[in-house]
Amino acid sequence: MLRAQLLDLASRGHRVPIGADLVLHRQSDAEAILCDGARLGAVVEEAARRFRTPLAFPIMDLRLEKAELLRFFGVPADEVERYHFATAPSAEQRREYARQVRRVEPSRRVAANLGALRHVARQPGLLPVGMCIGPFSLTTKLMADPITPVCMAGAGIGAEDDEGVALLEACLDLSLTCVLAQVERALDAGAKAVFVAEPAANQIYFSPLQLAGGSDIFERYVMEPNRRIAALLAERDADLLFHCCGEITDSMLESFGSLRPSLLSLGSSRRLWEDAARVPKDTVLYGNLPSKLFYSDETMPLARVAEDAADLAARMAACGHPFI
């Protein structure tokens, strides 16, 4: 497993972006490369070499799993982005999807990602990393309005009482099936770790008041599915790298820590030197500057980026928590 290597990198002040996309778009035919496993793998390899890291982070594209799932339901590729289920897929449809998901050949984009992993796995000194959206975040992409049923479920309304809650839970069931299959594919292709991104696991979707009042909705809809993923990775001797860039509460952060990720990536709303006390000592904290001003060079000039990065590195060194 990579935890020991990540801790070693952290102890040596390692710095690395998830920068394969930057390298990809230096190419004149970037879109074509996304469908070519060997060339995409070469891009991921080049990014790792360029940024002097063994961590071969792939392209972060959190749209692919939705497209893979909706292929089963016959949704044309050009309609995937705006498509939402209007009614809950039946239990039989969900069972049939679970039976078929590992038998169907992956799309060209997913096949290229798997080919890239196989390429990276053959390169000396590189650690191949898979990438996947989290089950709850995928669920939110399958619904026109996921917030209302999450709130209703948090108030104790069940799927048997409300069509919206039934739709939410059916989509979550499909999403977990999809994500588990994608993680298995990545591991079969040689991934030593999988970066699971759950940006929707945040206060916009989950009411802090409901959670403080004792609702288990965050545990049921976010944590239980991700515990399934963490268990699968542990069974395959691979590492969980976990990302959530949303606005979260301290209790949400502690829940993420209970997954025992080897690396935890958080958004700019968090002060990592304070969060260090709330996560396991052997979970490496990764990223981000505590600012939301990165939308223009005027609000965040390069000189301030350097200053804030140095300040963050100093604060993390002072608190003593492993940090990249």
Side-chain angles (χ1 to χ4, degrees):
M1 297 180 75
L2 300 188
R3 190 183 300 271
Q5 291 166 280
L6 289 167
L7 289 168
D8 178 62
L9 289 172
S11 72
R12 294 189 278 120
H14 196 60
R15 296 187 181 195
V16 57
I18 298 179
D21 194 66
L22 300 173
V23 174
L24 173 68
H25 283 89
R26 295 170 63 91
Q27 312 301 317
S28 60
D29 56 346
E31 290 301 316
I33 292 173
L34 286 172
C35 294
D36 185 323
R39 295 184 68 199
L40 183 58
V43 164
V44 174
E45 178 187 2
E46 181 183 343
R49 308 296 188 199
R50 178 182 295 271
F51 298 120
R52 299 184 297 278
T53 181
L55 302 173
F57 290 132
I59 302 291
M60 180 181 275
D61 186 342
L62 304 184
R63 300 170 298 176
L64 298 183
E65 286 76 23
K66 180 181 180 182
E68 284 295 275
L69 193 159
L70 291 181
R71 287 171 65 213
F72 175 82
F73 290 90
V75 178
D78 60 354
E79 296 179 16
V80 163
E81 187 170 346
R82 60 182 181 274
Y83 182 88
H84 301 110
F85 285 108
T87 58
S90 68
E92 178 53 37
Q93 285 178 307
R94 302 196 308 271
R95 284 192 293 269
E96 184 60 23
Y97 175 67
R99 283 193 289 267
Q100 296 292 334
V101 66
R102 290 167 180 79
R103 302 176 187 173
V104 177
E105 290 296 313
S107 66
R108 290 180 66 199
R109 283 288 311 277
V110 172
N113 284 352
L114 298 174
L117 278 170
R118 287 189 285 269
H119 172 90
V120 171
R122 294 192 295 267
Q123 309 311 311
L126 294 187
L127 303 170
V129 178
M131 183 74 68
C132 192
I133 194 171
F136 180 75
S137 297
L138 176 54
T139 297
T140 66
K141 292 177 174 288
L142 299 175
M143 304 174 63
D145 172 25
I147 294 177
T148 300
V150 170
C151 183
M152 296 179 72
I157 297 172
E160 67 280 3
D161 303 314
D162 182 83
E163 291 182 357
V165 176
L167 173 59
L168 173 71
E169 295 189 353
C171 287
L172 183 60
D173 182 30
L174 286 172
S175 295
L176 177 58
T177 300
C178 176
V179 170
L180 287 171
Q182 295 295 82
V183 169
E184 286 180 3
R185 281 174 165 170
L187 296 174
D188 290 343
K192 300 300 183 184
V194 176
F195 223 132
V196 177
E198 277 282 28
N202 63 54
Q203 296 184 63
I204 293 175
Y205 291 93
F206 295 91
S207 164
L209 291 177
Q210 285 185 338
L211 298 182
S215 172
D216 67 347
I217 198 67
F218 192 79
E219 174 64 29
R220 288 197 288 126
Y221 286 175
V222 174
M223 298 310 302
E224 287 182 7
N226 279 291
R227 292 189 204 287
R228 291 276 303 277
I229 297 168
L232 169 61
L233 290 167
E235 289 169 7
R236 297 286 297 270
D237 198 28
D239 288 60
L240 171 64
L241 315 182
F242 193 82
H243 169 77
C244 179
C245 56
E247 299 265 355
I248 63 173
T249 65
D250 290 344
S251 64
M252 291 175 179
L253 172 64
E254 290 168 355
S255 292
F256 296 154
S258 73
L259 295 172
R260 302 289 299 176
S262 296
L263 182 143
L264 178 60
S265 167
L266 301 171
S268 59
S269 65
R270 305 302 302 185
R271 297 175 182 270
L272 298 185
W273 57 92
E274 296 175 357
D275 290 342
R278 297 183 177 274
V279 300
K281 296 297 185 185
D282 60 351
T283 290
V284 175
L285 286 170
Y286 175 68
N288 286 338
L289 295 182
S291 173
K292 301 179 182 179
L293 300 179
F294 293 101
Y295 48 81
S296 80
D297 291 344
E298 292 182 359
T299 60
M300 181 58 76
L302 290 179
R304 183 171 170 189
V305 174
E307 292 171 3
D308 287 358
D311 179 67
L312 174 59
R315 289 177 182 271
M316 293 308 296
C319 78
H321 192 95
F323 170 66
I324 293 176

